[in-house]
Amino acid sequence: MASAPSPSRLSPPPVPMELNVANRQKLLSSLRRHLSGSSRPLQGFVFLQGGEEKTRYDTDHIELFRQESYFAYLFGVVEPGFYGAIDIASGKSILFAPRLPDDYAVWLGEIKPLNYFKEKYMVEMMYYTDEIAEVLQDVYQESHKPLLFLLHGLNTDSNNFSKPAEFQGIDKFETDLTTLHPILTECRVIKSDLELALIQFANGISSEAHVEVMRKVRVGMKEYQLESMFLHHTYMYGGCRHCSYTCICATGGNSSVLHYGHAAAPNDRTLEDGDMALLDMGAEYNFYGSDITCSFPVNGKFTFDQSLIYNAVLDAHNAVIASMKPGACWVDMHKLAEKIILESLTRAGILVGNVDDMMSERVGALFMPHGLGHFLGIDTHDPGGYSKGLERPKEPGLKSLRTIRELQEGMVITVEPGCYFIDALWVSAMEKSNIARFLNHEAIRRFKGFGGVRIESDLYITANGCKNMTNVPREIHEIEAVMAGAPWPLDKVSIYSAVNGEENKSGNI
């Protein structure tokens, strides 16, 4: 009996360690250039501590480990408990592995020799973590204390600081806590071709999974069933054990909750006929992530009001992408998205008045309180959005921007405009005369409980424009055709068949 065809056209690509070798070389070149420019000697070590396994509170249950992102960027190490160093003078890399107890082989598998890690991670030297101080002293071979460039700096998305490495004997070294972080962060902003290939695969398998969910969604399901379908597809066919972030599977009024899906709102509502779904989900492959949002009616057919809001957001999404190229200012891109949404809402009679006046009063933040997008890479909110000298805006909406930089070739950034009807914002807006004068209160009451729409794609900035790495149905006719059973990408025959009822929403042809 013939096996059923795979629902995926993709297979997990090999991951070359040359990617991390190139990342280390990129950092080394940038750091040497910085040191030379400030008349400092090209000596010392870049020194990072990898992530540690954690147990669930006081139990012995070990949570699934995921490597610290900066360490993953430089060394690609998947195991916990490692340290890594780069000798600035020679350019050679050193990894330090934990010395494992004998019973590790009984409970957790083979204890690999040091040479295994040396070859796997393509480093010049390999030692145990209890040898760090001795090895670095021997490699340095200078009379004064070796200098360690440690990772310490602010993440402008979380407002948390990266943790500098600690080890027995660090008091025998000089340490620099300020130089490394901004330089290494800037290295992560511009992606290499090898990095782009992994981000593209994560996008490809996540796009497929979103389409699978579109096809299989049914009124009466639970939101977590949509999450489950996505996770199954990306792991089963993409080998993606990790997600880039907690899945947001919001339907009905939940779709106005920007970061729905957390423990207190755990994707557990029952889908009802007439609901809009907002699904924000992205898989991670070998540390590199994706971030995709699709919005659609759970019954497969857009109503007039759903079409109105959806097309307002889609027009903004498409206009921003058409305008993106090196040199474009991200604040201007955000304002462009806001203006197009406000123009659409004004044409529909939801807003009244002059759109330029609305922009001045920041009315757009009432409908889209979040920023337009963020850098994407090893982290969903990849660092580097606010490099030295850049200050976060203070105005509503703009203060939520995760970057205000000009676009550069090699950046990967999300474009995710949205339009939401958030009760918590409407209450205060109605009391502010400068905002309330633009609102058609009767029309807005029609959208109470509507939720919201977000459309999110991942874009790579090219020399002359940008490339959309996400491939999902976006136009209303595409979404309705796919939800009626048409294959994706669409062809003329499948569109005709879906529209004329020759395929059905169960996916049976």
Side-chain angles (χ1 to χ4, degrees):
M1 184 174 68
S3 60
S6 170
S8 177
R9 301 178 183 182
L10 302 173
S11 58
V15 181
M17 281 299 128
E18 287 83 358
L19 181 155
N20 304 101
V21 173
N23 288 349
R24 294 196 294 273
Q25 187 58 49
K26 183 179 182 180
L27 170 63
L28 193 59
S29 297
S30 296
L31 183 56
R32 284 172 171 172
R33 192 162 50 247
H34 171 83
L35 294 175
S36 296
S38 52
S39 301
R40 297 173 66 184
L42 303 184
Q43 295 177 343
F45 300 91
V46 170
F47 192 75
L48 272 71
Q49 181 175 357
E52 298 285 349
E53 277 187 328
K54 296 180 180 179
T55 59
R56 182 182 293 172
Y57 305 112
D58 63 342
T59 74
D60 64 352
H61 170 73
I62 298 174
E63 302 282 2
L64 180 61
F65 176 72
R66 197 275 196 184
Q67 187 58 264
E68 192 278 326
S69 293
Y70 284 100
F71 198 81
Y73 176 81
L74 288 178
F75 297 102
V77 173
V78 299
E79 297 89 353
F82 276 61
Y83 289 74
I86 305 171
D87 182 358
I88 295 170
S90 70
K92 292 181 179 180
S93 297
I94 314 168
L95 275 176
F96 299 90
R99 198 184 295 269
L100 301 173
D102 291 342
D103 64 354
Y104 182 99
V106 177
W107 295 97
L108 295 169
E110 178 187 359
I111 298 176
K112 303 290 197 307
L114 291 180
N115 198 53
Y116 167 84
F117 296 113
K118 181 175 181 288
E119 293 179 1
K120 178 179 179 180
Y121 295 120
M122 297 180 68
V123 295
E124 284 78 15
M125 289 175 271
M126 189 77 219
Y127 298 95
Y128 289 112
T129 53
D130 55 18
E131 301 174 297
I132 290 174
E134 179 185 353
V135 168
L136 295 183
Q137 293 277 0
D138 289 345
V139 171
Y140 191 62
Q141 293 182 339
E142 296 285 342
S143 57
H144 51 279
K145 284 185 177 182
L147 174 62
L148 301 183
F149 292 92
L150 303 181
L151 187 69
H152 179 68
L154 179 69
N155 182 304
T156 56
D157 290 307
S158 67
N159 282 324
N160 294 327
F161 283 86
S162 52
K163 177 187 173 185
E166 298 175 344
F167 63 92
Q168 193 75 28
I170 196 171
D171 56 310
K172 297 180 175 66
F173 298 82
E174 299 288 345
T175 58
D176 180 319
L177 291 171
T178 60
T179 300
L180 179 59
H181 187 272
I183 295 173
L184 181 51
T185 296
E186 194 62 23
C187 288
R188 287 178 59 181
V189 170
I190 305 300
K191 272 59 178 182
S192 68
D193 288 345
L194 291 173
E195 290 180 288
L196 289 170
L198 297 184
I199 298 172
Q200 182 59 74
F201 176 76
N203 258 270
I205 199 70
S206 297
S207 294
E208 278 191 352
H210 272 281
V211 172
E212 279 294 292
V213 175
M214 272 186 198
R215 288 200 181 104
K216 295 177 179 177
V217 64
R218 297 290 181 276
V219 171
M221 283 184 169
K222 291 286 191 178
E223 291 167 335
Y224 57 71
Q225 291 178 278
L226 313 186
E227 178 180 16
S228 175
M229 286 187 272
F230 179 88
L231 295 175
H232 170 75
H233 187 94
T234 56
Y235 198 1
M236 180 76 175
Y237 303 106
C240 299
R241 196 174 192 187
H242 292 275
C243 249
S244 298
Y245 50 93
T246 303
C247 291
I248 298 170
C249 294
T251 62
N254 290 342
S255 58
S256 67
V257 181
L258 301 182
H259 283 170
Y260 181 76
H262 55 87
N267 294 334
D268 62 353
R269 180 178 176 274
T270 301
L271 280 59
E272 297 179 6
D273 194 18
D275 282 346
M276 279 293 286
L278 186 160
L279 306 185
D280 188 338
M281 304 183 287
E284 176 184 299
Y285 182 72
N286 196 69
F287 304 125
Y288 286 86
S290 58
D291 190 353
I292 300 171
T293 306
C294 296
S295 297
F296 54 86
V298 300
N299 63 13
K301 290 291 183 182
F302 283 81
T303 66
F304 177 83
D305 282 345
Q306 288 170 346
S307 297
L308 190 159
I309 302 303
Y310 184 87
N311 280 329
V313 177
L314 182 63
D315 287 347
H317 170 272
N318 293 347
V320 168
I321 291 174
S323 302
M324 289 170 62
K325 60 183 179 181
C329 173
W330 196 240
V331 177
D332 293 341
M333 296 296 97
H334 180 95
K335 289 181 177 179
L336 172 62
E338 280 187 330
K339 187 171 186 178
I340 289 173
I341 290 170
L342 292 175
E343 288 172 344
S344 296
L345 298 179
T346 301
R347 286 194 299 271
I350 297 171
L351 297 176
V352 293
N354 182 275
V355 171
D356 289 335
D357 292 340
M358 296 178 198
M359 292 289 292
S360 297
E361 296 292 348
R362 304 297 309 135
V363 175
L366 180 61
F367 295 93
M368 188 174 78
H370 60 72
L372 176 63
H374 50 82
F375 292 149
L376 174 73
I378 286 184
D379 289 311
T380 308
H381 297 154
D382 229 25
Y386 286 88
S387 49
K388 187 176 180 180
L390 296 180
E391 292 188 11
R392 188 179 292 272
K394 303 292 194 297
E395 302 95 323
L398 299 179
K399 67 183 179 182
S400 297
L401 282 166
R402 297 186 185 274
T403 185
I404 59 171
R405 294 176 62 160
E406 289 188 354
L407 298 179
Q408 296 174 243
E409 182 179 0
M411 288 178 171
V412 175
I413 193 165
T414 67
V415 174
E416 48 181 304
C419 181
Y420 315 88
F421 295 85
I422 302 172
D423 289 344
L425 295 180
W426 289 112
V427 172
S428 59
M430 297 295 188
E431 298 172 352
K432 296 176 181 176
S433 58
N434 64 318
I435 301 293
R437 65 191 175 102
F438 297 111
L439 307 180
N440 181 337
H441 295 237
E442 183 178 343
I444 286 173
R445 277 194 292 270
R446 192 170 89 232
F447 287 89
K448 184 174 178 59
F450 177 92
V453 167
R454 180 162 66 250
I455 300 173
E456 180 179 16
S457 300
D458 302 340
L459 282 297
Y460 160 56
I461 307 303
T462 64
N464 301 309
C466 63
K467 176 182 181 289
N468 193 341
M469 307 176 85
T470 304
N471 181 21
V472 293
R474 289 305 193 196
E475 300 291 338
I476 285 178
H477 76 271
E478 294 174 337
I479 293 170
E480 291 185 344
V482 166
M483 294 185 74
W488 178 255
L490 298 181
D491 54 44
K492 291 181 180 179
V493 174
S494 62
I495 295 173
Y496 175 84
S497 299
V499 169
N500 287 278
E502 294 177 24
E503 297 174 351
N504 60 50
K505 194 161 173 286
S506 68
N508 298 321
I509 299 175

